[in-house]
Amino acid sequence: MLKIAFLLVGADAFRARWYVLPALGAILLVLASLLALDASDGVTLVTKEAMGAVFVLNGLLALYVFVALPREGSRYLSFVKAAALIVLGSLILDFPLETRITIAWLFGFAFAVDGVGRIATATVLRFPGWRILAACGVVELLLALLIVTEWPLSHNQNIPFCIALLLGLWGWLLVRFGLMLRSLEDEASAMNLPIFAGRGWYQNAPVLIGGGERQPVEQPMIVHVWTPVGSAYHPERRLLVDRYIAAVDGNGVISTGHAALEMQPGVYISHYPAQEIDRSSSDFAAALRATAENDLKGRFQPSYDYESKEWCLADQNVAFHNFDPRRLRAFWAGYRQDDTYNLTNRNCSVVVAEALDAALEGSLASKYPWARLLSLLANPDLWTAALIRSRASSMTWTPGLVLDYARILVRLTQAQETGWNARLQLFLQKLRRRPQASA
């Protein structure tokens, strides 16, 4: 979450006072240590009530998102998120019933499910750094075991411990980011920092030789997405799977969909295997590993017109008007030097997600970067974007994930009506209109 916020605001805004970030990180680390070590009932109670209130408040605010958004896939994710936050917050607050043991088991269950998922995907995909991800999954399983068994902490202290863990991770990230930022060259993108290098996806982060002013946007940047279910021939519907992973058509052939990015004039980013292969269900699993033996010769499609005529029109499109054309061109010039294609580590969706991050860096630059940073951290869209990036990092980018990510980034970078005040006003307006409509 902090990574996306810093990327959107821009590294330049924080480079001159890089020392502030490690200082803030140190404060968070101290607070996390105090919270974890102080087992007094007063601290535990205050922390527990505050955490429950935060969950409920975020859940109620997420309902505004559900009401304000157009009817699209990510809109319903907002409703699910809102319901989950309100239920979890109510359990933490012991409303309507005493739920200490229940909430402890919920936290333990969440850690266990996430840990198993990380271990499974890391073991199957074997992408760069997969052992670290698997180790994180093991740690989550151990945390789940400790929470459920009440050792060494009781159920009353589990929630403060989890909060302390989260604050500690944020603090450590701020310290690392600040120390890295002091050595970042003026022309280099923040994505060149080691903190973004986990999957090796930012090796082509742009370097803007010569500096200069940001270029004006003449034409929109459009993300084209062929969802798996939208591009398959008579698909067999599977809930969520055919939206985010793959769809199976009537002949048993798997379609993973496709993603591309277009900016006129002269930029069309579409990475495809040089020889198209229809993978059946029997050999699809073998192609999932992100290892060298699954590297294929790739090709870059020349244009959207060519691609749509050869295949079909994209069933989803997202247009951006606030981005940096120069950063996008610099990224694309570096990426296209290597056409290697890998289904789970260097595919069409990976390059589109990378291009979006490159083009949107600094799109929310402000004279008051700290205020902008805080407002972003309070925006639930940023939390959703961070969740999507986390899922992609532990698996891979898919057309469905890129579609949701692009829709959220549009709201973050250019749709002013998504502020909480505007959402509240829209929510109240719709409530007032309903009685009139029914009458």
Side-chain angles (χ1 to χ4, degrees):
M1 183 176 64
L2 287 171
K3 292 180 183 179
I4 303 178
F6 280 120
L7 200 65
L8 294 178
V9 178
D12 292 339
F14 305 98
R15 185 185 286 110
R17 297 182 180 179
W18 62 268
Y19 51 85
V20 176
L21 296 176
L24 292 175
I27 292 173
L28 287 180
L29 287 172
V30 171
L31 289 176
S33 300
L34 292 175
L35 185 58
L37 296 175
D38 192 338
S40 66
D41 292 338
V43 173
T44 299
L45 178 61
V46 171
T47 304
K48 179 175 179 291
E49 298 299 321
M51 187 63 174
V54 168
F55 271 91
V56 172
L57 179 61
N58 275 277
L60 293 174
L61 293 176
L63 287 178
Y64 299 152
V65 180
F66 174 73
V67 173
L69 292 182
R71 295 185 178 277
E72 55 187 27
S74 57
R75 179 177 186 264
Y76 298 100
L77 290 178
S78 298
F79 176 77
V80 173
K81 180 181 70 174
L85 287 173
I86 292 174
V87 170
L88 184 57
S90 299
L91 291 174
I92 294 175
L93 293 171
D94 293 330
F95 176 82
L97 300 172
E98 181 75 18
T99 53
R100 280 187 313 176
I101 298 178
T102 302
I103 193 62
W105 276 87
L106 282 176
F107 269 94
F109 179 75
F111 276 120
V113 170
D114 195 62
V116 170
R118 290 180 185 274
I119 294 172
T121 55
T123 304
V124 172
L125 300 183
R126 303 289 180 92
F127 46 74
W130 67 273
R131 290 181 176 84
I132 296 177
L133 183 68
C136 291
V138 173
V139 171
E140 286 190 289
L141 290 179
L142 291 176
L143 286 174
L145 181 63
L146 295 179
I147 289 174
V148 171
T149 59
E150 292 190 85
W151 184 90
L153 300 174
S154 66
H155 289 322
N156 283 336
Q157 298 164 332
N158 283 329
I159 296 174
F161 174 75
C162 293
I163 299 172
L165 184 62
L166 178 62
L167 289 177
L169 290 175
W170 282 7
W172 176 239
L173 182 61
L174 285 173
V175 171
R176 289 186 62 202
F177 189 80
L179 295 177
M180 293 175 183
L181 195 60
R182 64 176 178 173
S183 60
L184 184 68
E185 298 179 358
D186 292 340
E187 304 87 4
S189 164
M191 293 187 299
N192 286 288
L193 296 174
I195 204 169
F196 287 95
R199 287 286 297 267
W201 283 343
Y202 294 101
Q203 297 176 358
N204 305 107
V207 176
L208 305 179
I209 303 300
E213 297 293 329
R214 176 173 169 174
Q215 296 177 352
V217 175
E218 299 178 356
Q219 298 290 335
M221 176 178 67
I222 303 175
V223 174
H224 302 290
V225 176
W226 292 257
T227 58
V229 68
S231 58
Y233 175 75
H234 294 310
E236 300 175 5
R237 297 308 304 268
R238 291 175 172 83
L239 184 63
L240 294 181
V241 174
D242 56 15
R243 172 65 169 80
Y244 291 102
I245 302 177
V248 181
D249 68 13
N251 298 321
V253 176
I254 292 177
S255 170
T256 56
H258 183 55
L261 185 146
E262 179 183 24
M263 183 192 72
Q264 296 295 340
V267 175
Y268 186 67
I269 301 176
S270 177
H271 198 177
Y272 218 77
Q275 183 177 358
E276 187 171 357
I277 302 173
D278 290 330
R279 295 181 175 90
S280 63
S281 302
S282 59
D283 60 3
F284 182 70
L288 289 179
R289 287 196 174 185
T291 48
E293 63 265 21
N294 282 329
D295 286 349
L296 302 173
K297 175 72 174 175
R299 72 177 188 267
F300 301 119
Q301 302 284 48
S303 68
Y304 177 67
D305 288 339
Y306 171 85
E307 196 159 23
S308 58
K309 289 177 182 177
E310 287 291 312
W311 188 16
C312 62
L313 293 172
D315 55 311
Q316 301 292 335
N317 302 278
V318 183
F320 289 80
H321 298 274
N322 179 19
F323 64 97
D324 192 332
R326 190 165 177 241
R327 288 186 181 275
L328 180 61
R329 293 182 188 277
F331 163 79
W332 182 228
Y335 184 92
R336 67 182 307 166
Q337 300 304 311
D338 180 9
D339 65 2
T340 301
Y341 182 92
N342 186 287
L343 180 63
T344 53
N345 206 53
R346 206 170 192 266
N347 58 37
C348 61
S349 300
V350 168
V351 64
V352 170
E354 288 184 57
L356 280 174
D357 288 342
L360 296 177
E361 183 174 358
S363 59
L364 294 180
S366 169
K367 293 181 180 180
Y368 308 101
W370 294 104
R372 179 59 60 86
L373 182 66
L374 290 175
S375 67
L376 275 175
L377 293 177
N379 192 328
D381 281 335
L382 185 74
W383 293 65
T384 306
L387 177 62
I388 294 173
R389 279 176 62 99
S390 175
R391 293 303 93 193
S393 296
S394 62
M395 299 184 300
T396 189
W397 282 104
T398 66
L401 288 176
V402 165
L403 176 60
D404 287 343
Y405 188 57
R407 285 170 169 169
I408 291 170
L409 289 179
V410 163
R411 297 200 296 270
L412 284 171
T413 57
Q414 64 192 49
Q416 299 300 319
E417 66 272 11
T418 59
W420 286 125
N421 184 53
R423 287 172 177 167
L424 177 59
Q425 294 296 329
L426 179 61
F427 179 72
L428 295 176
Q429 288 175 9
K430 290 192 174 184
L431 287 180
R432 287 194 294 266
R433 290 172 185 170
R434 284 182 179 178
Q436 298 176 0
S438 60

